[in-house]
Amino acid sequence: MAALPRRIIKETQRLLQEPVPGISAVPDESNARYFHVIVTGPEDSPFEGGLFKLELFLPEDYPMSAPKVRFITKIYHPNIDRLGRICLDILKDKWSPALQIRTVLLSIQALLSAPNPDDPLANDVAELWKVNEAEAIRNAKEWTRRYAMDN
Amino acid sequence: MQQLFFFGKHTISNTLNIYIKTSNGSTLSMNLNPQWDIKNVKEIVGPKLGLQPEELKIIFAGKELSDTVIIADCDLGQCSVLHAVKTKRPVKFDNSGVFSEELEDVGSKPLCETLKDLSNNEDLPDNNQQPKAHFYVYCATCKAMKQGKLRVRCHFCKSGAFTVHSDPQSWTDVLESKRITGQCENRPEECENILNNTEPTFADFYFKCAEHTSLGEDDEAVPLFLVRSNVRSIPCLACGDVCNPILVFPCLEGHVTCLECFNVYCSSRLRDRQFYQHAEYGYTLPCPTGCEHSYITEVHHFRLLSEPQYAQYQKFATEEYVLNAGGVLCPQPNCGMGIIPEGDCRKIACIGGCGFVFCRLCLQGYHIGPCDLPDPDNTDRKDCDYNVDPVRASQARWDEASKVTIKVSTKPCPKCKTPTERDGGCMHMVCTRSGCGFNWCWVCQTPWTRDCMGSHWFG
């Protein structure tokens, strides 16, 4: 396997030394491009109190192409589908090599605070979020309690 | 003792072989000691032209060099050309006291000493603290990026015996013609006559490779003006390291990458065929952060790619050019010849290539009647006379397997017909082919509409 680029080494060191509040990202022991990520549900959101597991992979031509990120923990969110795939522009066409693992994870955390039902990935969730927000938030809290709080 | 001999050997080559072009058209070849000054040169050249040393001007790279300039400070290389012309200044030989004083201020330092680092920004104030200019060029002789040397000649008669009125302040001054005025010392009357004195004489700037011995005055190199020396220690936007030299993108923000990351950026975009065929600049890329108006205008910068990658770049660029011009690429494996057919004829022969005759619409062998795409499920022939192991046979087909795979797993973009695979997500497709970007529906194979969104967005 090719040597790990210095940028990845530096980003990893910084993630471990100065972690982002509410986010932990640890590289896999056998693959330094694969990160085990835990994001805590933001305060004042239906995901508060939950610990959400994600996987993050840095492709061969990172940072020229975006990291691949997916929720492993089930989550009721209009921009995250049942396979955990995330609808976030900076992971697709708005990716720029000036962004980092850190900024990506912060954006994902922000997406939990501010769901965007107008640009949905999970259609049914988005629909409910628009017509009956209260019920959608109840569902999100219920899913958080059921899937993101067990240890 | 042996080592001493080696040292001795090295000092022998410590002279510069220089050509001196004179105003009467002759060229002198001279060996100069780099420690000499211009006064020494004049003393040698003068008698050969039948002139007093004081009657001579030595011109190099747009500057009349003053007597005290040391040869070694002039970025002269082996076989460089100096110009010697007769000065028009009144020279008083008898009155030696006045004479020496008059000549004191004549001439200047060489251009490489006075020129400051050029920026893209013309408004930058003239700052004496700015570092000296460094240039990078693509040298066709060395086949690589090298340090470059800036040279000056007359815009009209192309003679190097030309002095500039001022140093260029920005890259625009260097790259665009008729920005810096000067004085042609070759045949000034002629150049002024061409112009009928309606406009001043202008300088032409060009570059030479600093690495190899000059092959003459036509031996030019292409300036890679986005490659700069990292005088402000800007970190690369991709790897974060402070490198030197760097590539500065032509966006307003002037985003910076190191050359290694530029290479990774280009090869990654090349692999995904995401270069853009720009009508004016050619096959190019914008700033990696997606800034507006940031296309690389000088495609020689892609010479920074490795040889095989550059060959691929040229291949893709040619293919995109052919397709954009309404042409087709020969579908025969390992051919891919670009053909620009005349008129609307459906029958195309790969003339000059493999000779294959094919249908323009379905890219299969030419046929009479409507295109009949074979059903991928119905490819096996029942009336085979031989007993052939079907597994063997399936492995021994000439590129058939990939054709079938492409046919089964892809749908063509409704606009550009590029076979497209859907590897997950919703039914909203955005064509990934550079320059297309068409929004279409995987189910309907038509433009993406609100109805598609309502009825089968997610299948």
Side-chain angles (χ1 to χ4, degrees):
Chain A
M1 195 183 150
L4 205 59
R6 275 249 295 288
R7 151 135 180 189
I8 296 182
I9 297 168
K10 271 162 58 179
E11 276 201 64
T12 307
Q13 282 171 346
R14 199 167 154 225
L15 279 169
L16 298 175
Q17 283 161 9
E18 313 159 39
V20 191
I23 295 172
S24 104
V26 183
D28 189 81
E29 279 174 16
S30 62
N31 184 351
R33 288 177 175 268
Y34 183 92
F35 287 75
H36 302 271
V37 179
I38 296 170
V39 172
T40 55
E43 280 177 28
D44 302 322
S45 80
F47 312 102
E48 185 175 353
L51 290 178
F52 296 88
K53 276 189 202 162
L54 296 91
E55 57 180 1
L56 182 147
F57 181 72
L58 304 175
E60 179 62 30
D61 52 359
Y62 177 83
M64 292 307 160
S65 61
K68 308 216 175 296
V69 200
R70 192 178 74 91
F71 272 84
I72 295 173
T73 307
K74 272 170 81 79
I75 182 166
Y76 194 87
H77 191 290
N79 310 109
I80 300 161
D81 76 0
R82 62 180 190 283
L83 297 176
R85 294 178 301 203
I86 307 163
C87 182
L88 188 62
D89 56 358
I90 61 160
L91 293 177
K92 305 274 183 213
D93 54 321
K94 292 286 186 295
W95 170 254
S96 143
L99 298 170
Q100 300 181 10
I101 301 172
R102 173 180 294 266
T103 40
V104 164
L105 295 178
L106 276 168
S107 299
I108 291 172
Q109 200 180 36
L111 191 67
L112 296 187
S113 295
N116 178 9
D118 290 322
D119 184 18
L121 197 57
N123 229 9
D124 48 338
V125 179
E127 195 60 30
L128 187 64
W129 216 284
K130 275 162 116 170
V131 297
N132 189 346
E133 195 180 347
E135 193 188 334
I137 288 175
R138 263 203 308 282
N139 285 346
K141 281 184 177 163
E142 172 58 22
W143 281 40
T144 304
R145 196 187 56 74
R146 200 188 306 166
Y147 302 112
M149 287 190 190
D150 63 351
N151 291 306
Chain B
M1 276 306 279
Q2 266 183 330
Q3 271 184 327
L4 275 176
F5 270 109
F6 272 114
F7 280 118
K9 227 177 187 177
H10 275 288
T11 52
I12 292 171
S13 62
N14 202 15
T15 61
L16 272 176
N17 181 247
I18 298 292
Y19 295 107
I20 301 203
K21 275 202 165 186
T22 63
S23 43
N24 61 23
S26 62
T27 305
L28 308 171
S29 176
M30 284 179 67
N31 283 318
L32 301 185
N33 182 334
Q35 299 312 314
W36 287 354
D37 61 19
I38 292 299
K39 198 166 194 303
N40 295 136
V41 177
K42 287 181 179 175
E43 280 161 0
I44 296 169
V45 177
K48 295 194 178 182
L49 298 176
L51 296 168
Q52 294 295 320
E54 294 79 17
E55 290 180 283
L56 276 182
K57 281 198 227 185
I58 300 290
I59 296 168
F60 179 65
K63 293 290 176 104
E64 179 189 349
L65 301 178
S66 70
D67 282 358
T68 52
V69 165
I70 306 293
I71 301 288
D73 294 338
C74 295
D75 84 338
L76 282 163
Q78 292 290 353
C79 302
S80 285
V81 178
L82 290 176
H83 294 265
V85 295
K86 192 182 173 195
T87 180
K88 287 193 204 114
R89 280 186 296 271
V91 182
K92 299 165 190 171
F93 297 104
D94 300 337
N95 195 343
S96 58
V98 180
F99 148 79
S100 58
E101 241 173 64
E102 255 187 23
L103 284 188
E104 199 107 319
D105 285 326
V106 167
S108 76
K109 288 181 170 179
L111 185 64
C112 63
E113 290 282 309
T114 58
L115 193 63
K116 302 298 177 205
D117 196 48
L118 299 180
S119 69
N120 267 353
N121 185 355
E122 289 179 61
D123 308 327
L124 216 72
D126 190 16
N127 182 351
N128 283 332
Q129 297 303 307
Q130 257 180 275
K132 273 187 215 162
H134 284 273
F135 301 107
Y136 296 90
V137 293
Y138 173 71
C139 173
T141 307
C142 305
K143 296 200 184 318
M145 184 188 86
K146 296 288 173 194
Q147 295 242 12
K149 303 186 287 190
L150 182 64
R151 296 292 181 257
V152 184
R153 64 189 166 203
C154 172
H155 180 70
F156 301 99
C157 72
K158 306 295 175 199
S159 163
F162 187 94
T163 51
V164 288
H165 290 147
S166 60
D167 284 2
Q169 299 299 314
S170 69
W171 270 106
T172 323
D173 286 347
V174 171
L175 297 173
E176 288 180 11
S177 59
K178 299 192 173 186
R179 299 270 306 185
I180 300 286
T181 59
Q183 174 67 41
C184 180
E185 311 267 2
N186 179 39
R187 290 181 229 107
E189 313 77 28
E190 233 171 80
C191 287
E192 274 157 23
N193 277 342
I194 294 173
L195 300 165
N196 284 329
N197 292 322
T198 47
E199 53 179 49
T201 33
F202 285 104
D204 227 13
F205 293 95
Y206 65 104
F207 289 85
K208 295 181 85 78
C209 170
E211 182 112 340
H212 71 265
T213 302
S214 175
L215 304 172
E217 283 187 285
D218 299 333
D219 180 24
E220 293 183 28
V222 188
L224 301 180
F225 50 88
L226 299 180
V227 181
R228 310 272 173 81
S229 97
N230 195 358
V231 291
R232 293 180 211 160
S233 302
I234 310 284
C236 164
L237 70 83
C239 68
D241 290 346
V242 175
C243 300
N244 196 26
I246 47 165
L247 190 126
V248 184
F249 279 88
C251 48
L252 275 179
E253 287 83 353
H255 284 124
V256 164
T257 63
C258 68
L259 296 190
E260 200 183 327
C261 288
F262 177 69
N263 223 298
V264 175
Y265 173 54
C266 294
S267 39
S268 138
R269 287 296 178 276
L270 193 63
R271 199 167 48 240
D272 299 343
R273 218 174 163 132
Q274 291 294 307
F275 274 60
Y276 179 74
Q277 186 74 44
H278 193 282
E280 193 181 339
Y281 313 141
Y283 202 47
T284 187
L285 280 178
C287 164
T289 63
C291 298
E292 281 191 330
H293 311 300
S294 61
Y295 283 109
I296 292 176
T297 57
E298 170 55 82
V299 293
H300 276 97
H301 284 100
F302 300 117
R303 281 282 185 179
L304 294 170
L305 287 164
S306 67
E307 280 289 329
Q309 280 175 328
Y310 188 74
Q312 192 179 42
Y313 163 82
Q314 281 185 308
K315 182 171 182 284
F316 285 180
T318 315
E319 288 179 0
E320 289 295 326
Y321 179 81
V322 169
L323 293 173
N324 278 355
V328 286
L329 304 172
C330 175
Q332 203 66 334
N334 297 324
C335 179
M337 178 85 167
I339 304 161
I340 299 185
E342 286 172 26
D344 295 334
C345 189
R346 194 166 61 80
K347 181 180 178 181
I348 294 175
C350 181
I351 297 164
C354 65
F356 184 52
V357 180
F358 60 97
C359 165
R360 187 177 190 170
L361 302 177
C362 64
L363 300 181
Q364 304 294 317
Y366 181 71
H367 54 85
I368 296 166
C371 300
D372 183 23
L373 295 176
D375 187 343
D377 299 332
N378 194 18
T379 45
D380 40 353
R381 302 257 298 268
K382 303 287 181 213
D383 53 352
C384 187
D385 289 341
Y386 302 103
N387 277 326
V388 180
D389 178 358
V391 179
R392 274 276 168 84
S394 71
Q395 288 168 349
R397 290 186 301 179
W398 178 265
D399 214 32
E400 282 304 306
S402 23
K403 272 191 195 162
V404 171
T405 307
I406 291 171
K407 203 156 281 172
V408 171
S409 62
T410 70
K411 291 181 180 181
C413 160
K415 192 179 169 203
C416 72
K417 310 283 181 235
T418 299
T420 308
E421 187 182 17
R422 177 174 163 268
D423 69 346
C426 65
M427 298 299 161
H428 182 183
M429 307 296 289
V430 181
C431 184
T432 53
R433 206 187 120 197
S434 171
C436 181
F438 190 64
N439 286 275
W440 57 286
C441 172
W442 179 260
V443 177
C444 313
Q445 294 190 58
T446 55
W448 180 250
T449 62
R450 214 158 250 287
D451 290 339
C452 301
M453 209 186 276
S455 63
H456 49 259
W457 195 344
F458 294 89

